[in-house]
Amino acid sequence: MRILFITSNRLGDAVLSTGLLAHLTERHPDAALTIACGPLPAPLFRSVPGLERLLPMPKRAWARHWIDLWRACVGTRWDLVVDLRNSAVGRLVLAKRRFFHARAPRLHKVEEIGRVLGLSPPPPPRLWIDAAAEAEADRLLTGGAEPFLAIGPTANWTGKEWPADRFAELATRLTGPGGRLSGRRVAVLAAGPERERARPVLEALGSRAIDLTGRTDPMAAAACVRRAALYIGNDSGLMHIAAAAGTPTVGLFGPGFPETYGPWGVAARTVISRVPRSELLARQKADPQATGLMDGISVDAVERAAEELFGPAGPAPAMTGTAGPECGEVVTNPCKSPETGP
């Protein structure tokens, strides 16, 4: 059996699609898989069970990357095509069965993706971390095996970035004397182009910091973050990697959409700004370079969300939720096992 799985070129969306892919690998354990995705998330798929071909799709002018994908796939008769890009390729190759993504604005992205195969509740995201990534994590995380605090202080645009000084203050509270992670190190992660924006956090933390900025691909980042006691970061692909790796995760949202893109995983919380999103989006529309869009999230609010995850005896059980910074309320939604599908 041959399956073609076409997923996102964006890191976060690709991570959120891994639950559907895991369902396919479990339902069809002998199938030969071809996975098409963007170059950035491609490392996350290199160890998927049954992988026959991994086709990274760098964007080309005039959408020629889709022509490249069609040429790579047209010679095969597919038993099943799952196309989360809703592309012409999924329709133009020979296939016995085809399933396409359709937007469902009132659902979380994980639920929306699960509906492609009629899965409700949806399968949660899954990562396949290989030995090479674990070895890279061993190399990067020198100085002890004790679980650490991981933070992601950057995002794909600066309007979604919580102030660096607040990240540093929060890390000091959690790892300082009397903190839940007293004496632990702090791993700081960011993509290569975002390295300079993470520098103030690294400088504030000094010798306690583990500098992973610009030093990991998504697979190695997953192997590192999986060893953390807690991950705290902005709305980003790295946040979704942390949650999918099973690490207790706190995601920070200002002008973003946590109801659609909040972290989904073993133990996750979302902290939202006390400033209405409509106001933040209006400011961003008026000035694409607007700053201060995340100032409505206090250090106290994020610390409360972290405490909720730790609980009196360690990390909370499997659930997702939202923490409001004004009242500290947490609404939980336990993750469930998926129903069967194609």
Side-chain angles (χ1 to χ4, degrees):
M1 182 177 185
R2 295 191 180 279
I3 298 175
L4 174 61
F5 188 83
I6 304 174
T7 188
S8 182
N9 65 319
R10 302 194 331 180
L11 180 58
D13 284 320
V15 172
L16 295 178
S17 75
T18 57
L20 193 66
L21 181 60
H23 169 82
L24 291 172
T25 65
E26 293 165 0
R27 190 72 183 274
H28 308 285
D30 297 324
L33 285 168
T34 292
I35 301 172
C37 62
L40 178 59
L44 292 174
F45 296 103
R46 71 189 186 209
S47 296
V48 173
L51 181 67
E52 184 176 51
R53 286 191 297 170
L54 178 59
L55 302 175
M57 295 171 55
K59 284 191 173 182
R60 299 181 61 197
W62 308 105
R64 285 180 293 171
H65 48 285
W66 289 111
I67 297 174
D68 294 340
L69 180 61
W70 176 79
R71 286 174 175 164
C73 298
V74 70
T76 301
R77 183 174 180 84
W78 303 96
D79 295 283
L80 178 62
V81 172
V82 176
D83 186 352
L84 301 184
R85 302 289 298 277
N86 201 17
S87 71
V89 173
R91 293 172 168 83
L92 294 176
V93 296
L94 293 173
K96 293 180 180 178
R97 292 189 295 167
R98 311 168 198 267
F99 296 88
F100 296 92
H101 175 264
R103 293 194 64 188
R106 291 183 296 275
L107 296 178
H108 190 280
K109 203 70 177 179
V110 170
E111 297 171 309
E112 182 180 279
I113 291 170
R115 288 182 61 172
V116 172
L117 296 183
L119 304 177
S120 180
R126 171 93 59 86
L127 298 179
W128 297 268
I129 300 175
D130 60 20
E134 295 289 6
E136 183 67 3
D138 288 340
R139 185 183 70 82
L140 293 169
L141 298 173
T142 56
E146 195 171 31
F148 49 89
L149 172 64
I151 59 175
T154 61
N156 61 348
W157 61 285
T158 56
K160 296 197 298 183
E161 294 180 355
W162 200 40
D165 61 333
R166 298 190 191 184
F167 268 112
E169 180 183 346
L170 177 67
T172 299
R173 287 190 190 184
L174 292 174
T175 63
R180 284 297 192 116
L181 298 173
S182 179
R184 307 289 181 88
R185 299 178 300 162
V186 183
V188 182
L189 296 97
E194 301 161 0
R195 181 179 174 88
E196 285 304 310
R197 303 208 300 273
R199 186 176 299 279
V201 180
L202 290 166
E203 291 176 348
L205 294 173
S207 61
R208 289 179 298 143
I210 307 170
D211 183 2
L212 300 182
T213 61
R215 302 176 68 190
T216 63
D217 67 11
M219 177 75 93
C224 291
V225 170
R226 186 167 68 169
R227 304 181 188 195
L230 175 69
Y231 174 87
I232 300 173
N234 301 309
D235 170 21
S236 69
L238 182 59
M239 175 195 72
H240 292 300
I241 285 176
T247 300
T249 297
V250 178
L252 312 182
F253 283 76
F257 295 83
E259 67 274 20
T260 302
Y261 281 106
W264 183 289
V266 173
R269 294 291 184 275
T270 301
V271 181
I272 60 175
S273 174
R274 64 174 176 267
V275 179
R277 181 170 59 204
S278 57
E279 178 181 329
L280 297 173
L281 291 175
R283 287 168 55 188
Q284 189 268 331
K285 183 177 181 180
D287 178 10
Q289 304 304 317
T291 59
L293 298 182
M294 297 285 282
D295 288 352
I297 298 176
S298 69
V299 175
D300 287 343
V302 184
E303 186 177 24
R304 284 197 299 270
E307 288 292 333
E308 171 68 20
L309 280 175
F310 280 119
M319 58 184 63
T320 61
T322 300
E326 293 182 295
C327 62
E329 179 182 8
V330 176
V331 181
T332 61
N333 177 26
C335 299
K336 301 177 182 178
S337 300
E339 295 178 358
T340 59

